[in-house]
């Protein structure tokens, strides 16, 4: 058992189950997970935050290395080496199961949890998360020499934004394929939560949205393949410059 201040980390092994190591965490600086994160995302660097929870490491003589558990993270700060992805004050709770197989079989990851506030940047997309819970769920697989493939992903922000679909990425994290169903039953909060970065860059930071929308977007290696948008009583008003309204 290791401890410093409020933080403690305890490892437990039982002679009856020698393949299993349990790690209990209490207010542990999240930087401890850097080596684990590097297994799945080599470019990401954990820079701040704490984590509580339990991690079970199964290392059988036959079969995959399995790392699974439940974690609660607070004030997580992360940034990739090229600063294309960053998070700050991210808070949430997650159940995860990561199974690392020998090639050519893909390694498998499932993650289910909720986010409660914070912010993140991905490229030019800035997202400011509300304190109300957002459910996140995904299944992913990774083959040696390839990027990640997500056959299932889901984002549930209540009436504001629901996204379901699949995605695939190259080794450089570039999007190779995307197939998403997007729904919003209340567009009013979408600007501040999801579109402030893009609209601000376009000089439309004061744009007001209302109504509802459904959309389907498909992207492949050649670019946009399909985009279908179905609006429902949508109003778009330029509140700042009064340049237009729809």
């Amino acid at each position: 058992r290791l401890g410093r201040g409020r933080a403690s980390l305890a490892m437990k092994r039982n002679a009856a189950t020698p393949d299993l190591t349990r790690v209990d965490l209490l207010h542990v600086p999240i930087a401890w997970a850097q080596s684990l994160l590097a297994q799945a995302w080599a470019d990401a660097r954990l820079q701040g935050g704490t984590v509580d929870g339990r991690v079970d490491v199964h290392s059988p003589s036959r079969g995959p290395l399995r790392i699974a558990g439940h974690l609660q993270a607070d004030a997580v700060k992360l940034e990739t080496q090229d600063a294309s992805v960053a998070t700050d004050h991210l808070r949430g709770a997650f159940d995860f199961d990561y199974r690392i197989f020998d090639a050519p079989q893909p390694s498998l990851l499932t993650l289910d949890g909720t986010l409660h506030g914070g912010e993140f940047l991905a490229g030019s997309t800035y997202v400011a998360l509300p304190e109300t819970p957002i459910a996140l769920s995904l299944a992913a697989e990774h083959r040696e020499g390839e990027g990640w493939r997500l056959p299932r992903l889901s984002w549930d922000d209540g009436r504001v934004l629901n996204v379901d679909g699949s995605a695939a990425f190259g080794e450089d994290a570039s999007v190779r394929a995307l197939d998403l169903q997007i729904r919003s039953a209340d567009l009013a909060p979408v600007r501040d939560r999801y579109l402030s970065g893009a609209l601000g860059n376009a000089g439309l930071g004061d744009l007001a949205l209302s109504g509802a929308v459904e959309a389907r977007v498909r992207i492949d290696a050649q670019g946009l393949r399909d985009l279908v948008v179905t609006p429902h009583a949508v109003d778009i008003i330029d509140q700042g410059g009064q340049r237009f309204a729809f």
Side-chain angles (χ1 to χ4, degrees):
R1 182 185 182 93
L2 301 174
R4 184 176 181 179
R6 297 177 62 201
S8 68
L9 183 152
M11 299 181 64
K12 302 175 183 176
R13 298 190 71 181
N14 190 318
T17 54
D19 295 339
L20 172 63
T21 300
R22 171 160 291 180
V23 183
D24 290 315
L25 309 163
L26 180 64
H27 300 304
V28 173
I30 202 168
W32 77 273
Q34 182 60 56
S35 60
L36 176 60
L37 178 64
Q39 297 274 344
W41 193 4
D43 288 340
R45 298 291 180 269
L46 291 166
Q47 299 178 336
T50 59
V51 65
D52 296 73
R54 184 200 73 246
V55 177
D56 290 334
V57 180
H58 303 260
S59 52
S61 56
R62 295 183 179 181
L65 172 66
R66 181 185 178 193
I67 305 169
H70 174 81
L71 295 175
Q72 293 179 297
D74 186 50
V76 174
K77 185 174 183 178
L78 173 152
E79 188 172 322
T80 55
Q81 290 182 327
D82 63 0
S84 62
V85 177
T87 73
D88 200 10
H89 295 99
L90 207 60
R91 184 163 60 93
F94 305 94
D95 294 304
F96 68 96
D97 189 336
Y98 186 31
R99 305 185 187 205
I100 305 173
F101 290 88
D102 292 330
Q105 190 169 351
S107 295
L108 305 175
L109 170 69
T110 59
L111 184 147
D112 297 279
T114 55
L115 294 168
H116 299 268
E119 54 189 347
F120 69 83
L121 177 72
S124 61
T125 301
Y126 169 75
V127 176
L129 300 175
E131 291 298 322
T132 52
I134 294 176
L136 172 65
S137 178
L138 63 84
E141 61 181 51
H142 180 261
R143 295 182 185 273
E144 188 175 346
E146 300 180 10
W148 281 90
R149 191 173 73 88
L150 280 62
R152 173 181 61 82
L153 65 91
S154 173
W155 178 277
D156 185 355
D157 187 6
R159 288 174 50 82
V160 178
L161 184 67
N162 286 268
V163 180
D164 294 284
S166 61
F169 302 89
E171 280 192 281
D172 60 355
S174 61
V175 176
R176 297 295 177 85
L178 201 62
D179 189 346
L180 301 178
Q181 292 276 2
I182 303 168
R183 298 173 300 279
S184 174
D186 181 8
L187 281 171
V190 169
R191 182 196 68 183
D192 290 340
R193 292 188 191 181
Y194 299 100
L195 297 178
S196 61
L199 292 175
N201 290 337
L204 298 172
D206 292 323
L207 207 66
L209 306 173
S210 63
V213 70
E214 298 175 72
R216 168 80 180 275
V217 58
R218 290 193 295 167
I219 296 173
D220 59 22
Q222 283 69 51
L224 182 63
R225 183 176 178 183
D226 194 21
L227 175 63
V228 178
V229 179
T230 306
H232 301 281
V234 171
D235 288 327
I236 304 173
I237 301 173
D238 178 20
Q239 292 181 313
Q242 300 290 321
R243 291 166 291 186
F244 55 82
F246 300 100

